[in-house]
Amino acid sequence: MKDQFYLHFDTMPKSTAQMKGVYVRNGKPRFYEKSSVEVAKNQFYAALKPYAPKYPTSAPVKLTIWFAFDVKDKKKWGKPKTSRPDTDNYLKLFKDVMTICGFWLDDAQVVDERVYKTYAEKATIMVKWEEISEVNI
């Protein structure tokens, strides 16, 4: 299976999977997911679910993601975004939601991933994923 689609947002969610809160109870630290992460997960879920396959794949997956963060400054459009959020932390949250939506059984199946992060006029995520049988380097 091979698919490509675009997700559009009013503004790009900026929370990452690493954004955890901590509190201490009975002398032990307890970690929890911040509400902003839950909001981002829900936004990603609502956008991704209509594109999820009927059944999750069990094959290895090649994944290409382009995160286009909205900015008003026209001079920045198309330029690389070198500020936060980091691509690895941001992609982790996005892949977790793709797993929940049923694109694959486990995000460990993603054996080839490419991530791009730029500025654009409108907040957009381009997703391209495909089942593969071998990795070509």
Side-chain angles (χ1 to χ4, degrees):
M1 172 177 268
K2 184 176 184 177
D3 199 7
Q4 179 174 328
F5 52 88
Y6 293 84
L7 309 174
H8 301 282
F9 300 89
D10 291 334
T11 188
M12 186 70 77
K14 293 186 178 76
S15 297
T16 70
Q18 309 323 95
M19 296 176 134
K20 305 271 187 220
V22 65
Y23 65 93
V24 178
R25 179 179 286 165
N26 298 327
K28 294 183 180 180
R30 308 285 180 174
F31 296 92
Y32 64 94
E33 195 170 78
K34 290 186 175 182
S35 61
S36 62
V37 176
E38 192 64 33
V39 168
K41 270 187 177 179
N42 290 337
Q43 286 178 297
F44 288 153
Y45 182 86
L48 283 165
K49 191 60 179 170
Y51 298 99
K54 194 170 186 177
Y55 302 103
T57 183
S58 59
V61 173
K62 177 180 178 179
L63 180 66
T64 303
I65 305 284
W66 171 57
F67 295 111
F69 287 81
D70 52 305
V71 66
K72 292 180 182 176
D73 185 358
K74 291 181 181 181
K75 294 176 193 168
K76 290 187 176 183
W77 294 353
K79 304 274 190 223
K81 181 178 183 335
T82 58
S83 60
R84 293 185 183 268
D86 300 344
T87 55
D88 53 346
N89 296 336
Y90 201 65
L91 183 61
K92 176 64 177 150
L93 179 65
F94 195 76
K95 283 173 30 183
D96 287 348
V97 176
M98 287 186 79
T99 304
I100 293 166
C101 287
F103 284 84
W104 43 67
L105 299 172
D106 189 302
D107 59 7
Q109 292 169 240
V110 178
V111 297
D112 183 351
E113 62 187 29
R114 292 156 197 205
V115 183
Y116 304 92
K117 189 175 68 164
T118 65
Y119 291 107
E121 179 180 7
K122 298 187 186 262
T124 305
I125 301 174
M126 186 274 297
V127 179
K128 181 179 177 183
W129 71 283
E130 63 183 292
E131 296 173 350
I132 59 174
S133 58
E134 61 183 53
V135 176
N136 295 316
I137 298 176

